[in-house]
């Protein structure tokens, strides 16, 4: 499930891209990151609550899901 910053980025990205059509994804991330650091606590809490809701929805939809990262020696080389 997306975290608070990812939800914030999804909300802000369209406006940034619309303002400057020739902008790379990397530059968008930098701008949104700077905006996130300058945001008020209320805005951050709002997006944290949205992230908590998304997490609960994910848990209900995929109740059997358990994060199990592969160890480096288990990864297949491409």
């Amino acid at each position: 499930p997306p975290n608070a910053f990812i939800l914030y980025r999804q909300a802000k990205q369209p406006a940034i891209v619309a303002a400057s059509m020739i902008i790379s994804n990397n530059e968008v991330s930098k701008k949104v990151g700077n905006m996130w650091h300058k945001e008020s606590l209320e805005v951050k809490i709002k997006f944290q609550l949205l992230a908590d809701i998304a997490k609960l929805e994910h848990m209900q939809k995929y109740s059997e899901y358990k994060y199990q990262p592969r160890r480096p020696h288990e990864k297949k080389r491409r």
Side-chain angles (χ1 to χ4, degrees), residues 9 13-32:
R9 188 184 192 287
Q13 181 178 0
I16 292 173
V17 172
S20 163
M21 296 298 257
I22 311 170
I23 188 168
S24 70
N25 202 27
N26 189 20
E27 292 171 349
V28 171
S29 293
K30 288 178 185 178
K31 284 187 177 189
V32 174

Side-chain angles (χ1 to χ4, degrees), residues 13-61:
Q13 181 178 0
I16 292 173
V17 172
S20 163
M21 296 298 257
I22 311 170
I23 188 168
S24 70
N25 202 27
N26 189 20
E27 292 171 349
V28 171
S29 293
K30 288 178 185 178
K31 284 187 177 189
V32 174
N34 288 333
M35 291 168 60
W36 177 253
H37 288 295
K38 294 176 185 175
E39 282 292 354
S40 65
L41 185 59
E42 291 83 20
V43 173
K44 290 182 179 182
I45 290 172
K46 172 189 163 190
F47 281 97
Q48 185 59 51
L49 290 173
L50 292 173
D52 291 341
I53 291 169
K55 183 178 179 180
L56 289 174
E57 290 173 355
H58 183 271
M59 288 172 56
Q60 290 174 349
K61 190 173 181 181

